[in-house]
Amino acid sequence: MKKVLIIHLANSEKYPPVAQMYHLLKNRGYDAKIFCVKDIEGFRMIQEDIVYLGKTSRTRILNWISFSTFFILSFFRGLVYRPHLVIVVDFKAVLGGLLLAKTLSVPFIYYCLDIGVKNEVVGIQKLLISIERKFSKYFNLIIFPEENRAKVFKNETGIRKKIMVVYNAVSKNTIPSREISLKSILAERGYTFKWIIFRHGGIGEDQCIEESILAMEHLPREAGLVLVGYSNNEYLKRLKQLILERGLENRVLMLGILQRKDILELLPSVDVGLAIVKPTSINKKFYGTGAVKLAEYIASGIPSVVNDNKIMGELNKKVGAFVFANPYSPESIASAIKEVINNPQKAKRLRQNARKAFETFYNFEYQFEPVLREIERWIGR
């Protein structure tokens, strides 16, 4: 059985594309293993074959000690494992992964979920980005989840032929066998909503949370906003204060952190998913097919509110399940939501389009198949 090693200087349990890649490799008959680091609890998407080489946290910036420790451990543990293929996720682990691949004379895949640019990082990360760009000519394949991120990389490195775009889509095997009504759960808690507006993932200032809360003032009282995800205590206090000041405590609910499986069971009963983001960084500017939450809304067959720009407009020509809003404007967000909840026929059409997109091309199996073909060509099974 051919061995594939995935190296990721982050907690892979919190990155659905990494977990899905692992499972697809296992299903194709490969002996796949992941070297990563551990922080807070992940989504429990990987039951075995995950090796934690240290710990990290959301608040700690990568430094020389944590980088060097992971570099040494992953390299020497990799020599013991002796994979036939090395896959590195994101630029922080490129140096060690590439050195391991060259030492063992095996192919190397670079899976760049989030592209790094020097003016957005500090310290050692600037050096690691320079190394990534400089040695990219030695990579056998480079994967990006979004085509505009790939274009930035192409322009900086001159590389053209060995780049693939693989959407951060949901795997068909990830869709739960049952659906749970979020409206029923909320009704048991005393909240009766005709329409549920939903947003999950990281809760921060770039995620349009405050704008989404304020948008509720422009929507019918039968509409409720449900927020799911992680944040720091200071920002959560600010949000709770905003909710109280605006008298929205009966219309905005914060459910905390849920497992991905639980979220996917609830999503089909949601009316609108919020996938808007402030374009404050290159990855947020070019989020599109790199956005996991958007992929989960598409997979669940629900309409999504997305940024009103050319990139998302072009993507919607393929998907046909979006309505558009200015991420800085509560009024614009509310207007986009009204396009769905005030127009049942349009809502039905958007849902049908989302399901069709998921079934035909916006799923991880379809997206990752070209990569699997390359792997089989290189190392067989």
Side-chain angles (χ1 to χ4, degrees):
M1 184 181 292
K2 297 298 176 68
K3 298 178 181 179
V4 178
L5 177 60
I6 301 166
I7 304 176
H8 188 196
L9 214 174
N11 188 351
S12 298
E13 280 279 27
K14 296 191 295 188
Y15 288 77
V18 180
Q20 292 174 164
M21 172 175 63
Y22 159 82
H23 286 296
L24 284 185
L25 289 166
K26 295 286 285 188
N27 291 340
R28 286 294 177 97
Y30 294 105
D31 177 8
K33 191 178 292 292
I34 298 177
F35 290 174
C36 64
V37 293
K38 190 177 184 67
D39 49 15
I40 62 174
E41 184 180 7
F43 294 135
R44 298 198 293 270
M45 296 179 290
I46 307 166
Q47 300 300 317
E48 55 188 7
D49 299 318
I50 188 166
V51 179
Y52 292 110
L53 303 179
K55 296 182 179 181
T56 186
S57 72
R58 290 189 172 276
T59 58
R60 191 175 74 189
I61 297 172
L62 181 69
N63 56 41
W64 281 103
I65 295 176
S66 57
F67 166 75
S68 300
T69 301
F70 187 82
F71 176 95
I72 294 169
L73 290 174
S74 62
F75 179 77
F76 285 103
R77 291 288 293 269
L79 288 178
V80 174
Y81 181 58
R82 299 193 70 81
H84 299 89
L85 169 69
V86 176
I87 303 175
V88 162
V89 181
D90 287 340
F91 67 88
K92 296 175 186 177
V94 162
L95 183 59
L98 182 60
L99 179 60
L100 176 64
K102 292 302 179 183
T103 301
L104 297 175
S105 298
V106 300
F108 178 86
I109 295 178
Y110 176 42
Y111 197 165
C112 184
L113 291 177
D114 290 319
I115 187 168
V117 290
K118 290 183 181 179
N119 63 349
E120 294 180 0
V121 299
V122 297
I124 187 177
Q125 297 187 63
K126 290 182 181 290
L127 174 61
L128 295 178
I129 290 172
S130 295
I131 291 172
E132 171 217 54
R133 304 295 203 268
K134 182 177 179 60
F135 289 97
S136 58
K137 60 186 176 181
Y138 300 111
F139 303 168
N140 296 92
L141 180 65
I142 305 167
I143 305 170
F144 288 91
E146 199 277 336
E147 62 180 349
N148 291 285
R149 300 181 198 179
K151 288 177 181 177
V152 172
F153 193 87
K154 289 177 183 178
N155 291 337
E156 292 187 11
T157 63
I159 292 175
R160 294 289 183 270
K161 293 185 179 180
K162 52 186 178 181
I163 292 179
M164 288 187 184
V165 174
V166 174
Y167 295 1
N168 280 349
V170 175
S171 170
K172 288 187 174 182
N173 291 332
T174 304
I175 299 299
S177 57
R178 66 170 185 168
E179 297 178 4
I180 298 175
S181 172
L182 181 55
K183 290 180 181 177
S184 298
I185 293 175
L186 296 180
E188 292 174 359
R189 300 186 181 188
Y191 299 95
T192 304
F193 298 134
K194 183 176 180 180
W195 302 286
I196 294 179
I197 320 304
F198 191 90
R199 191 204 176 279
H200 69 291
I203 296 178
E205 295 187 23
D206 293 341
Q207 307 297 331
C208 306
I209 306 299
E210 291 163 89
E211 289 80 5
S212 299
I213 291 172
L214 294 175
M216 299 305 295
E217 296 180 327
H218 305 280
L219 292 172
R221 295 191 61 82
E222 299 92 340
L225 173 63
V226 176
L227 302 172
V228 172
Y230 48 84
S231 184
N232 62 67
N233 290 332
E234 183 178 340
Y235 190 62
L236 286 177
K237 288 180 181 177
R238 202 165 99 193
L239 293 178
K240 291 176 181 178
Q241 184 63 34
L242 174 64
I243 292 168
L244 289 174
E245 288 176 354
R246 298 289 181 156
L248 294 170
E249 58 270 25
N250 293 322
R251 298 184 59 201
V252 179
L253 286 79
M254 304 178 72
L255 297 184
I257 300 175
L258 297 178
Q259 288 296 319
R260 190 185 191 216
K261 176 179 176 293
D262 299 328
I263 292 172
L264 290 173
E265 288 177 340
L266 295 172
L267 278 178
S269 64
V270 166
D271 295 282
V272 182
L274 297 181
I276 43 176
V277 62
K278 295 176 182 176
T280 55
S281 68
I282 189 168
N283 291 296
K284 289 183 173 68
K285 179 181 179 182
F286 301 136
Y287 75 101
T289 56
V292 172
K293 71 171 61 63
L294 178 61
E296 290 170 342
Y297 297 153
I298 292 170
S300 301
I302 64 174
S304 302
V305 180
V306 302
N307 286 25
D308 188 3
N309 59 40
K310 182 179 179 181
I311 294 172
M312 298 308 294
E314 289 298 316
L315 180 58
N316 197 45
K317 291 179 181 178
K318 301 177 183 178
V319 178
F322 306 158
V323 288
F324 302 91
N326 178 343
Y328 295 94
S329 168
E331 293 83 1
S332 178
I333 297 169
S335 178
I337 294 170
K338 287 178 183 178
E339 285 188 49
V340 179
I341 65 175
N342 290 345
N343 297 278
Q345 289 304 312
K346 180 171 185 175
K348 180 180 179 180
R349 184 173 70 254
L350 296 178
R351 283 182 173 274
Q352 291 173 339
N353 290 345
R355 292 190 185 97
K356 182 178 179 181
F358 174 67
E359 289 296 330
T360 55
F361 72 94
Y362 215 114
N363 62 77
F364 198 74
E365 286 83 354
Y366 178 90
Q367 292 294 321
F368 201 73
E369 182 61 30
V371 178
L372 289 174
R373 287 199 296 266
E374 284 296 291
I375 292 173
E376 290 179 11
R377 186 171 66 85
W378 293 336
I379 67 173
R381 291 196 191 184

